[in-house]
């Protein structure tokens, strides 16, 4: 009886947009190079104008892999903007499967092999999984606990897990190059939420976006309250842009933080100016996040557990503030750049 011939695995290009990633870049690339995947692979790093050792570390990685079969290449990203970096890396890459990874993301060992299998099994144009936040110190452990709890992020499957199936968008993503090229890549006006916008066009064109909990990327949280606040303010600001860009895409989960900001602000004003009863609202919110932090912090050191309410409040309040203060002019600029979904010849 003849042995079954080996199936030729598709070659894979891993693209990474990086800016000031000296702390995590080497580890992130090593996790890619160590993937349990037998197909050909390349890594293309698009480097923004960093002020740390990112460029130096990237150059070392290029030199270290120059003679291997899994090579690292770099391309410049003068603007420093994530969607521009992604487009530059896509243009410089050459393989039929494109894997997006961030400079502070660590792929699980079988991530690429699993994603390629899921693309084949589902017929999807893009597959993605869980953004598994993991910290390296007490503050980051606290943020990770907040980011993987329902009190922190609601029922978002790519944060908290869920059943495999069609999705509106996914974390990062493993794409068929044909789908990226068909849609012309990322819309560079979307400084944030560019994944959502691209996946929206892919779905409009009849493509399938697939979420699977089998796919997991370890994510390193922001290292300070200030950095976390900026991150979530930007998230809120751009989520409102998305809501204006695509009417009907908003839901109660997204409205919870801005509602909480307004209610707490009103409660403080009423409490200070009229009656102490107004302080029931901010007091109730504080009690809720303290109570919610108890199960979220199970198994963590006490110093980390004590910081979870701070992380939760930072995430909620800055996301809500960013949503409320997102300028209509920004949405108008982005809407003006709208790209219609490009249908394939088969549609």
């Amino acid at each position: 009886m003849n042995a079954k011939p080996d199936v030729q695995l598709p070659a894979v290009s891993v693209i990474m947009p990086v800016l000031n990633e000296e702390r995590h870049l080497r580890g992130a690339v090593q996790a890619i190079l160590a993937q349990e995947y037998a197909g050909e692979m390349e890594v293309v790093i698009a480097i923004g104008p960093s002020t740390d050792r990112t460029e130096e570390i990237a150059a070392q990685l290029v030199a270290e892999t120059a003679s291997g079969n899994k090579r690292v290449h770099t391309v410049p990203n003068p603007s420093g903007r994530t969607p521009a970096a992604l487009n530059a890396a896509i243009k410089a890459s050459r393989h039929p499967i494109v894997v997006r990874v961030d400079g502070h993301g660590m792929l699980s060992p079988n991530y690429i092999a699993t994603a390629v299998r899921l693309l084949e099994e589902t017929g999807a144009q893009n597959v993605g999984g869980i953004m598994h936040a993991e910290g390296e110190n007490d503050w980051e452990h606290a943020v990770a606990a907040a980011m993987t709890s329902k009190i922190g992020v609601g029922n978002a499957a790519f944060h908290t897990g869920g059943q495999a199936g069609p999705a509106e968008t996914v974390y990062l993503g493993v794409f068929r190059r044909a789908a990226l090229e068909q849609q012309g890549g990322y819309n560079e006006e979307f400084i944030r939420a560019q994944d959502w916008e691209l996946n929206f066009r892919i779905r409009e064109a009849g493509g399938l976006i697939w979420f699977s909990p089998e796919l997991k990327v370890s994510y390193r949280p922001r290292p300070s309250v200030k950095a976390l606040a900026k991150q979530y303010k930007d998230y809120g600001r751009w989520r409102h842009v998305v809501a204006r860009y695509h009417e009907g895409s908003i839901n109660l989960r997204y409205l919870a933080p801005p509602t909480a900001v307004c209610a707490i602000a009103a409660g403080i004003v009423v409490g200070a100016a009229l009656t102490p009863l107004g302080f029931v609202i901010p007091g109730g919110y504080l009690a809720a996040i303290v109570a919610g932090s108890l199960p979220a912090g199970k198994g963590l050191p006490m110093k980390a557990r004590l910081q979870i309410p701070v992380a939760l409040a930072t995430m909620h309040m800055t996301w809500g503030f960013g949503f409320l203060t997102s300028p209509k002019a920004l949405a108008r600029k982005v809407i003006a750049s709208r790209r219609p979904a490009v249908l394939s010849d088969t549609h």
Side-chain angles (χ1 to χ4, degrees):
M1 184 174 179
N2 294 330
K4 186 177 180 179
D6 291 336
V7 176
Q8 183 69 35
L9 292 171
V12 169
S13 295
V14 182
I15 59 171
M16 299 183 71
V18 301
L19 177 70
N20 294 325
E21 288 287 1
E22 69 172 4
R23 183 178 172 194
H24 300 301
L25 179 57
R26 176 170 287 277
V29 172
Q30 287 175 338
I32 296 166
L33 299 178
Q35 284 290 295
E36 298 170 0
Y37 186 71
E40 186 180 352
M41 187 189 304
E42 66 175 352
V43 182
V44 182
I45 305 174
I47 306 175
S50 300
T51 57
D52 62 6
R53 295 179 55 248
T54 295
E55 289 192 43
E56 177 186 338
I57 294 168
Q60 291 171 357
L61 291 165
V62 170
E64 291 165 9
T65 61
S67 60
N69 61 355
K70 295 181 179 179
R71 295 187 179 183
V72 176
H73 310 279
T74 61
V75 291
N77 174 33
S79 73
R81 293 181 170 186
T82 299
L86 291 166
N87 284 342
I90 292 168
K91 185 176 180 180
S93 66
R94 55 197 174 91
H95 294 322
I97 304 297
V98 179
V99 180
R100 176 184 169 175
V101 183
D102 285 344
H104 44 272
M106 309 290 170
L107 299 186
S108 52
N110 62 348
Y111 181 89
I112 291 177
T114 302
V116 170
R117 172 176 60 79
L118 288 171
L119 284 172
E120 179 63 26
E121 289 177 354
T122 64
Q125 302 302 307
N126 180 21
V127 299
I130 295 174
M131 175 184 178
H132 184 67
E134 293 181 337
E136 296 181 327
N137 55 43
D138 288 330
W139 166 251
E140 292 179 5
H141 286 314
V143 177
M147 290 181 71
T148 53
S149 67
K150 289 191 175 181
I151 192 173
V153 294
N155 61 350
F158 70 83
H159 281 296
T160 61
Q163 296 294 315
E168 182 180 86
T169 190
V170 290
Y171 179 56
L172 300 179
V174 178
F175 298 83
R176 298 180 190 272
R177 174 179 293 276
L180 292 173
E181 293 181 345
Q182 179 181 321
Q183 298 305 326
Y186 291 84
N187 184 334
E188 295 185 15
E189 292 296 336
F190 273 81
I191 308 307
R192 296 287 185 272
Q194 65 274 158
D195 299 294
W196 180 92
E197 193 278 336
L198 174 59
N199 286 319
F200 173 69
R201 279 185 282 131
I202 291 173
R203 288 187 292 109
E204 268 197 324
L208 175 65
I209 310 300
W210 188 266
F211 166 82
S212 174
E214 291 184 77
L215 298 172
K216 187 171 81 169
V217 181
S218 294
Y219 167 87
R220 300 293 185 250
R222 296 297 192 269
S224 67
V225 173
K226 181 178 179 180
L228 182 68
K230 182 181 185 305
Q231 178 187 20
Y232 271 77
K233 179 186 173 183
D234 287 345
Y235 282 171
R237 176 186 178 99
W238 281 91
R239 183 60 233 191
H240 205 162
V241 171
V242 167
R244 287 167 169 155
Y245 179 92
H246 177 47
E247 293 181 7
S249 68
I250 204 70
N251 60 40
L252 292 178
R253 178 167 70 89
Y254 296 123
L255 294 176
T259 301
V261 170
C262 292
I264 289 168
I268 291 172
V269 170
V270 170
L274 300 175
T275 171
L277 290 175
F279 292 118
V280 169
I281 297 174
Y285 171 77
L286 180 60
I289 61 172
V290 169
S293 71
L294 296 178
K298 188 176 180 181
L300 292 179
M302 184 56 67
K303 285 185 179 180
R305 298 181 72 177
L306 291 173
Q307 294 180 80
I308 294 174
V310 178
L312 287 169
T314 301
M315 290 161 56
H316 294 162
M317 295 298 102
T318 56
W319 200 103
F321 180 77
F323 188 94
L324 291 168
T325 58
S326 181
K328 289 184 178 180
L330 178 59
R332 286 196 294 268
K333 180 181 178 184
V334 169
I335 290 169
S337 74
R338 186 191 296 269
R339 297 180 184 177
V342 180
L343 301 179
S344 67
D345 294 337
T346 59
H347 281 78

